[in-house]
Amino acid sequence: MNPVYRRRRMVNRTIMTASLLASAFGVIWLFLILLTLVTKGVPALSIDVFTERTRMSGGGLGNAILGSLIMTALATVGGTIIGIAAGTWLAEYGGRSRLANLIRFINDVLLSAPSIIIGLYIYAVVVLPMGHFSGWAGVAALMVIIIPVVIRSTEDMLLLVPNSLREAAASLGAHRWLIVLKVCYSGARAGIITGILLGCARISGETAPLLFTALNTNQWNFFNMGGEMPNLPMVLYQNMTINSFIPEQVALAWAGALILTAAVLILNILARVTSARSQK
């Protein structure tokens, strides 16, 4: 056998084996986490978990689930509008100008910024001037987290749209805004939706920003966004730390963790399906 071929085959097998072992290592830990959540969370699930509010002993997670849904939905809508607008400007109008490059740099910094830093910032500029925690402050913190994700996905997807399509539309006399709206968005729609879903999955389980902004309450408070807002991540944190000596609260925490994990997995699956369909 040719020595060169033998060496290449040996290197290929070594790298393939290392890759498989690394993949298996990650999958095993994911399987163990999911197994723990299922074995401890499923027995704690009941109708009361979804209908009753949180209490010092017993109760459910209904108000926390609804509060998280409201804040996540508002942050996703607001972040999507701002993110798509900013990403569109970067891809279609900003080009390689100094301002566009500065915005890209700031966006990259926000993408990698720890969420607790964002929570502290919103606490300083929103909570302290207001004098109290509020659901709106929580929404603002989650928006700051999701906006960079939407900006990056929007810009990247719009840049993948061939310039020939833009030129064809321009040759027919279409205005620039109409080209972006009808041609560019149509070609980049699936990728943008994927980015939005991934951003929504990221903010749905954030605890650190809400610790400094929305905090938590045991009441049904979704009609008053100006006050403390019940949310699932904070309930999990409190039940597994402050209330860890109460077995019922620990069981509720496992049930909430299972619900939250299932929601994140569903959002990620939807994002993958949307991305796969766009590639066909």
Side-chain angles (χ1 to χ4, degrees):
M1 182 181 294
N2 192 319
V4 176
Y5 175 74
R6 184 187 298 110
R7 182 177 60 83
R8 289 178 177 176
R9 188 172 66 172
M10 183 180 64
V11 171
N12 179 69
R13 288 179 177 178
T14 302
I15 294 177
M16 286 294 295
T17 303
S19 299
L20 289 174
L21 290 175
S23 300
F25 181 79
V27 171
I28 288 172
W29 285 109
L30 176 60
F31 173 77
L32 291 176
I33 292 173
L34 294 178
L35 180 63
T36 303
L37 287 173
V38 170
T39 54
K40 294 191 176 183
V42 171
L45 290 177
S46 65
I47 298 298
D48 291 342
V49 171
F50 299 94
T51 58
E52 295 291 330
R53 66 177 179 87
T54 54
R55 306 177 189 275
M56 290 302 297
S57 179
L61 301 172
N63 61 331
I65 294 173
L66 189 57
S68 290
L69 286 175
I70 292 174
M71 287 194 292
T72 301
L74 291 175
T76 301
V77 172
T80 297
I81 294 173
I82 297 174
I84 290 179
T88 301
W89 184 85
L90 289 173
E92 301 295 331
Y93 299 95
R96 291 297 171 183
S97 64
R98 291 183 178 179
L99 178 59
N101 288 332
L102 176 61
I103 293 176
R104 291 188 184 96
F105 173 75
I106 295 175
N107 192 67
D108 290 341
V109 172
L110 287 176
L111 274 172
S112 58
S115 58
I116 192 170
I117 301 300
I118 296 175
L120 284 171
Y121 171 75
I122 298 299
Y123 176 80
V125 301
V126 177
V127 176
L128 287 181
M130 293 177 62
H132 57 84
F133 299 99
S134 69
W136 292 119
V139 171
L142 297 180
M143 278 182 61
V144 174
I145 296 175
I146 194 175
I147 284 175
V149 179
V150 180
I151 290 177
R152 172 59 67 83
S153 62
T154 301
E155 182 186 9
D156 289 345
M157 292 303 105
L158 288 175
L159 290 176
L160 292 177
V161 177
N163 283 327
S164 57
L165 296 180
R166 297 180 177 87
E167 294 168 356
S171 66
L172 296 176
H175 293 285
R176 184 70 179 273
W177 66 269
L178 189 60
I179 295 173
V180 173
L181 186 63
K182 297 294 185 179
V183 177
C184 298
Y185 282 165
S186 296
R189 179 173 59 245
I192 294 174
I193 293 175
T194 300
I196 295 171
L197 291 174
L198 291 176
C200 182
R202 179 185 174 185
I203 66 174
S204 61
E206 287 289 350
T207 305
L210 302 181
L211 181 64
F212 297 99
T213 54
L215 203 58
N216 190 32
T217 178
N218 291 335
Q219 305 301 319
W220 295 92
N221 198 32
F222 50 89
F223 287 121
N224 180 22
M225 291 289 290
E228 294 181 10
M229 195 72 174
N231 59 89
L232 197 52
M234 280 298 300
V235 171
L236 302 186
Y237 168 75
Q238 292 177 345
N239 284 3
M240 294 300 287
T241 55
I242 301 174
N243 300 325
S244 60
F245 60 92
I246 306 176
E248 294 86 354
Q249 299 300 83
V250 175
L252 273 179
W254 283 113
L258 179 62
I259 295 170
L260 193 58
T261 303
V264 173
L265 287 176
I266 290 172
L267 287 172
N268 277 275
I269 291 173
L270 289 175
R272 298 296 180 184
V273 171
T274 304
S275 178
R277 288 182 177 179
S278 67
Q279 296 175 1
K280 293 182 178 180

